[in-house]
C-alpha cells in the first residue's frame, strides 16, 4: 500500500475469536460456571451457539443477569466483572478486542484483596502450568475459580462504591508492568486495521482501486483444544496472537 502503509490481513477490526465450552463445575452457591473477572482495556462479546445459561455482571451501575440462549449476542466494555453460568451445555464463540488480548493477559480475577497485592502473589494462585497433567490443571483451574468467587461474593455484598473502586485500583496496579507489551499488540492489530481502512478510503476518494489487487483469503483451525480458560474449556486460534 502507498505512503508506507502495510495491508492489514487479520480478522476484521483486529479482533480475535475462540470457542468456549463453559465449565459445568458446581460452586459453593450451587451455580455451575466459570471464574468471575474483568478486563481493563478490552471489550468482549459472546455469540451463543448452543445450550443455555447466563452471564452475571457487576459494574458501578450494579448487579445484572443476562440470559444466554442460542442466537444471543451479548457484549460488555472494560471494567465489567463477569461470571458465566452454565445451565445446560452452554457453548459460545467469544469475540475479543485487541487481537485476543483478554486471553493474553488483560484479565484480573476477583480474588480476595490479599491475593491482589503484587504480580507474584497473584500468579501463584492463578497460573495453570501448560505442562502439568490434565487432572492437575483442572484442580488448579477449579481452585482459582472458587477463590475468585470468594472475592466476587464480597464485592456483590459490599455497600458503597469503595470496595469495587479498590478492586479496580488493585487490578490496574497488577497489569501496569505489561502495558508497553499491550500497546504494541494494539498497534499491530486494532490500530493497524483502522489505519488500513483510512488509507483505503483515501484511495477510493481519489478514484484509486489498486489496493483491491492485494486481496487475500485465509482460514485456520484451532491450534489448541480444550485449554483450561477462565470461563471454560477453550479452543484457541493463532489469529491475532
Amino acid at each position: 500500500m502507498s505512503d508506507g502503509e502495510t495491508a492489514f490481513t487479520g480478522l476484521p477490526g483486529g479482533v480475535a475469536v475462540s470457542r468456549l465450552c463453559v465449565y459445568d463445575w458446581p460452586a459453593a452457591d450451587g451455580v455451575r460456571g466459570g471464574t468471575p473477572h474483568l478486563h481493563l482495556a478490552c471489550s468482549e462479546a459472546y455469540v451463543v451457539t448452543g445450550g443455555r445459561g447466563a452471564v452475571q455482571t457487576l459494574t458501578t451501575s450494579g448487579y445484572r443477569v443476562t440470559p444466554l440462549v442460542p442466537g444471543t449476542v451479548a457484549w460488555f466494555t472494560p471494567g465489567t466483572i463477569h461470571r458465566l453460568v452454565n445451565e445446560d451445555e452452554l457453548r459460545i464463540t467469544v469475540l475479543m478486542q485487541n487481537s485476543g488480548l483478554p486471553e493474553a493477559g488483560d484479565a484480573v480475577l476477583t480474588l480476595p484483596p490479599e491475593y491482589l497485592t503484587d504480580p507474584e502473589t497473584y500468579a501463584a494462585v492463578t497460573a495453570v502450568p501448560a505442562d502439568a497433567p490434565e487432572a492437575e490443571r483442572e484442580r488448579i483451574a477449579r481452585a482459582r475459580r472458587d477463590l475468585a468467587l470468594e472475592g466476587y461474593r464480597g464485592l456483590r455484598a459490599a455497600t458503597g462504591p469503595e470496595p469495587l473502586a479498590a478492586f479496580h485500583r488493585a487490578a490496574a496496579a497488577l497489569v501496569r508492568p505489561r502495558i508497553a507489551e499491550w500497546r504494541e499488540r494494539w498497534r499491530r492489530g486494532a490500530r493497524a486495521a483502522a489505519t488500513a481502512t483510512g488509507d483505503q478510503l483515501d484511495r477510493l476518494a481519489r478514484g484509486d482501486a489498486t489496493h483491491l489487487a492485494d486481496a487475500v483469503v485465509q482460514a485456520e483451525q484451532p491450534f489448541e483444544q480444550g485449554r483450561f480458560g477462565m470461563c471454560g474449556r477453550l479452543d484457541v486460534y493463532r489469529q491475532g496472537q
Side-chain angles (χ1 to χ4, degrees):
M1 300 177 74
S2 64
D3 303 322
E5 298 295 348
T6 302
F8 179 79
T9 59
L11 284 172
V15 302
V17 301
S18 63
R19 294 189 303 184
L20 173 66
C21 293
V22 179
Y23 292 133
D24 63 358
W25 305 330
D29 60 1
V31 175
R32 298 175 182 269
T35 308
H37 61 282
L38 60 65
H39 306 298
L40 291 94
C42 297
S43 292
E44 191 171 73
Y46 297 151
V47 181
V48 182
T49 57
R52 180 172 53 86
V55 57
Q56 299 176 353
T57 55
L58 181 63
T59 68
T60 56
S61 298
Y63 173 72
R64 178 178 173 181
V65 178
T66 301
L68 300 177
V69 297
T72 300
V73 178
W75 64 95
F76 42 84
T77 58
T80 303
I81 295 173
H82 48 289
R83 177 198 188 189
L84 275 172
V85 173
N86 186 352
E87 297 172 357
D88 182 19
E89 298 185 353
L90 182 60
R91 298 184 302 281
I92 293 170
T93 295
V94 184
L95 307 179
M96 297 165 289
Q97 200 175 14
N98 297 316
S99 306
L101 186 57
E103 286 177 6
D106 180 20
V108 174
L109 311 187
T110 56
L111 304 179
E114 60 266 29
Y115 297 98
L116 303 173
T117 55
D118 58 83
E120 293 75 22
T121 300
Y122 178 83
V125 293
T126 59
V128 180
D131 57 353
E134 178 157 339
E136 176 63 6
R137 284 182 283 137
E138 178 174 336
R139 184 196 67 78
I140 295 170
R142 292 186 70 153
R144 73 176 182 182
R145 190 277 308 265
D146 293 340
L147 191 61
L149 283 171
E150 182 181 331
Y152 173 69
R153 287 192 294 271
L155 291 172
R156 278 188 55 187
T159 57
E162 178 52 28
L164 185 56
F167 174 69
H168 289 168
R169 292 193 296 270
L174 281 175
V175 305
R176 188 176 181 184
R178 305 190 65 182
I179 298 305
E181 170 194 339
W182 294 6
R183 189 180 299 277
E184 178 61 19
R185 192 183 188 101
W186 161 76
R187 187 190 66 79
R188 297 192 313 266
R191 191 176 79 167
T195 299
T197 298
D199 181 75
Q200 291 158 3
L201 292 173
D202 290 343
R203 287 167 173 264
L204 292 170
R206 299 192 301 264
D208 176 0
T210 56
H211 67 283
L212 301 179
D214 299 327
V216 297
V217 177
Q218 300 183 89
E220 65 177 77
Q221 295 295 318
F223 77 91
E224 182 179 356
Q225 295 181 304
R227 175 192 292 180
F228 287 97
M230 290 171 286
C231 298
R233 300 295 294 266
L234 290 167
D235 292 347
V236 185
Y237 297 79
R238 293 193 186 279
Q239 175 62 53
Q241 298 192 29

